[in-house]
Amino acid sequence: MNCCDLINKTKRKQALTENEIKWLVNEYTYDNIPDYQISAWLMAVCLNSLTDEETLALTLAMRDSGDILDLSGVNGITVDKHSTGGVGDKTSLIIGPVAAACGVYVPKMSGRGLGHTGGTIDKLESINGYRTEISFNEFIDIVNKTGFSIVSQSGKLCPADKKLYALRNASGTVDSIPLICASIMSKKLAVSADCILLDVKYGSGAFMKTIENAQKLADIMTRIGNMAGKKCAAMVTDINIPLGRNIGNALEVIEAVDVLNGKSKGKLYDLCIDLSAKMLELAGKGDIDICRKMAVDAISCGKAAEIFEKTIALHGGNAKIVSDTSLLPQPKYSHKVYANKTGTIQEMNSEEIGMTSLIIGAGRKSKTDSIDMSAGIIIDKECGEYVKEGDLLLTLYSSSVTDFSDAENRALNSIKII
Ligand code: URA
């Protein structure tokens, strides 16, 4: 096979065969095709898209480029969930224990944060002692004991995606629906849970800026998951404003614990109930109304919080944080930001708020940066609320930054009051 012929086929909108796509992925993974040729092919995909059959072949070839987890040691039906990412998204910390409390198993692999969005693994590592890198056998053992575990994604999963994603970032080819689908679904299929729930975000800071494109991505990911033999469903959800009130690693764990303890009701709680109910429905626990009631009960009876506590302990973390969140890293400095005019909050730009939390230490600009676990933001007002000049909008927290002036400006610019 010849790479130039395959680039030309995609350029002319002629579908590649399964074997041709497998060949491209394998040869690139083993360094037998140079970056410039694959970049040209990726650009042709961005411009001309792929058929469902081509997208499935690409997804499976990427999945098969590395390890595929064997979850047969788990004692029941397994459910995985993936969010395409958003500022303040701590739903995995909540819905894992909720779903586990309702009798399904949630073996989850997650990543670290980069840029304006946080990562679930960083959030968990704000809990003193929590081990995110454990052996596969210990991971399965914890899942069997509590129903839920989150570990850092194994480096041996989908090496083809690692190489292709880096190349896409460097060649302006990230924003292609079939390429995003193959990248996400190859990793989900390599984890190999029985059911997969996808939370596809749209809005500022999300890959998909519009609800229409998010729906297209959700549809194709669901089709590819089903074609690959999994029970798969997707929800399309808004991330134009940050999810919940707390942004930053320890601060997000605090908010997740508050939801699990039944102390925080609001948009985050509602979304977690919807996501958990959908996971339970996928796993065959009943219709959506029954599943929603099960999820609500799992929080109100305390079982979900208990599962989170036990899981943290089995990971070596300080499980007392579930009853006393002051045991999480505490910020040394804080700075209150007040409204500079009177009016209604029309917009809270999620991406800008995420960047504000990054510059006070809560995130990474590059993969090797370290994180201030105590840093972040607590938002005091909601979008749509009426505020008077001088009212508290949000508080910035950090242990690594004492001059909050840049962050304050950025925060104020991200909130539109009219
Ligand atoms: N997340 C991924 O893992 N891959 C993409 O292509 C986009 C988002």
Side-chain angles (χ1 to χ4, degrees):
M1 255 181 252
N2 174 307
C3 194
C4 237
D5 291 344
L6 304 190
I7 297 168
N8 276 322
K9 271 181 95 172
T10 302
K11 187 177 79 184
R12 293 180 190 129
K13 298 192 183 176
Q14 294 162 358
L16 300 186
T17 65
E18 187 186 336
N19 276 341
E20 286 170 332
I21 289 183
K22 256 191 208 163
W23 181 84
L24 269 183
V25 171
N26 289 340
E27 294 300 300
Y28 182 59
T29 308
Y30 290 106
D31 295 327
N32 296 327
I33 302 179
D35 283 355
Y36 56 81
Q37 285 191 308
I38 293 294
S39 301
W41 182 72
L42 291 169
M43 187 54 82
V45 173
C46 277
L47 299 175
N48 290 338
S49 196
L50 293 177
T51 64
D52 277 11
E53 288 68 28
E54 289 177 290
T55 309
L56 177 65
L58 179 62
T59 307
L60 297 184
M62 286 162 69
R63 177 198 66 183
D64 296 342
S65 68
D67 285 358
I68 297 178
L69 300 191
D70 175 5
L71 297 180
S72 60
V74 178
N75 295 333
I77 191 143
T78 51
V79 188
D80 196 2
K81 168 256 177 191
H82 179 82
S83 159
T84 56
V87 175
D89 187 349
K90 67 280 288 173
T91 53
S92 291
L93 303 180
I94 301 165
I95 63 178
V98 171
C102 300
V104 302
Y105 292 83
V106 188
K108 188 149 173 47
M109 289 202 165
S110 291
R112 295 180 188 279
L114 187 64
H116 64 278
T117 54
T120 302
I121 290 303
D122 297 320
K123 291 167 202 178
L124 284 167
E125 286 182 354
S126 73
I127 302 170
N128 191 22
Y130 190 106
R131 294 173 298 127
T132 55
E133 285 176 23
I134 56 179
S135 71
F136 183 67
N137 286 347
E138 191 176 2
F139 175 51
I140 298 297
D141 191 44
I142 296 175
V143 172
N144 279 332
K145 281 186 173 134
T146 70
F148 157 71
S149 170
I150 302 185
V151 292
S152 185
Q153 184 168 302
S154 151
K156 294 181 186 155
L157 243 51
C158 297
D161 177 61
K162 210 165 282 164
K163 263 193 101 178
L164 283 167
Y165 199 33
L167 186 61
R168 284 167 60 210
N169 262 317
S171 60
T173 53
V174 168
D175 60 346
S176 147
I177 288 182
L179 293 180
I180 295 175
C181 169
S183 168
I184 293 174
M185 292 308 290
S186 60
K187 287 174 286 203
K188 289 290 108 184
L189 294 173
V191 171
S192 78
D194 302 312
C195 313
I196 304 167
L197 177 64
L198 302 157
D199 179 9
V200 182
K201 303 282 188 202
Y202 68 92
S204 75
F207 280 98
M208 298 291 122
K209 302 292 173 209
T210 64
I211 191 167
E212 291 78 18
N213 278 341
Q215 191 60 58
K216 275 189 203 156
L217 178 61
D219 289 345
I220 188 166
M221 288 202 293
T222 308
R223 286 201 301 277
I224 295 301
N226 290 334
M227 284 160 91
K230 300 293 178 187
K231 281 176 129 185
C232 191
M235 290 174 59
V236 171
T237 64
D238 184 353
I239 195 73
N240 274 304
I241 54 171
L243 187 53
R245 288 185 181 261
N246 293 15
I247 296 144
N249 296 289
L251 288 170
E252 292 193 38
V253 174
I254 294 173
E255 193 174 22
V257 165
D258 284 348
V259 171
L260 285 169
N261 281 329
K263 284 194 209 153
S264 173
K265 298 268 161 77
K267 285 187 187 141
L268 174 64
Y269 170 87
D270 291 343
L271 176 61
C272 288
I273 295 296
D274 287 348
L275 290 168
S276 308
K278 199 75 200 163
M279 282 168 89
L280 296 171
E281 188 193 27
L282 266 182
K285 289 282 171 186
D287 69 26
I288 195 72
D289 292 332
I290 290 175
C291 292
R292 184 169 280 113
K293 185 171 177 333
M294 286 169 78
V296 168
D297 290 348
I299 290 184
S300 60
C301 76
K303 191 158 177 206
E306 200 181 296
I307 285 177
F308 193 42
E309 196 168 26
K310 281 191 184 146
T311 301
I312 293 172
L314 288 168
H315 277 266
N318 182 359
K320 290 188 187 136
I321 63 114
V322 177
S323 46
D324 180 2
T325 53
S326 73
L327 296 169
L328 284 156
Q330 296 296 311
K332 287 193 193 140
Y333 317 109
S334 66
H335 181 83
K336 292 188 185 305
V337 176
Y338 299 97
N340 49 11
K341 64 196 275 203
T342 296
T344 301
I345 300 179
Q346 297 284 332
E347 189 186 316
M348 261 185 201
N349 186 294
S350 203
E351 185 163 4
E352 280 301 302
I353 301 251
M355 288 309 292
T356 306
S357 74
L358 187 151
I359 60 178
I360 53 176
R364 294 187 183 86
K365 285 193 195 97
S366 74
K367 275 185 182 168
T368 49
D369 288 351
S370 60
I371 288 186
D372 172 355
M373 290 298 183
S374 69
I377 302 172
I378 297 185
I379 300 172
D380 207 64
K381 297 286 185 293
E382 288 202 11
C383 214
E385 252 185 87
Y386 179 79
V387 291
K388 288 205 194 107
E389 187 177 345
D391 280 356
L392 179 65
L393 291 178
L394 51 87
T395 308
L396 305 168
Y397 295 95
S398 183
S399 297
S400 46
V401 166
T402 49
D403 178 0
F404 287 93
S405 45
D406 279 356
E408 170 162 9
N409 285 336
R410 199 146 193 164
L412 283 172
N413 286 334
S414 69
I415 299 176
K416 203 182 275 173
I417 301 172
I418 293 178

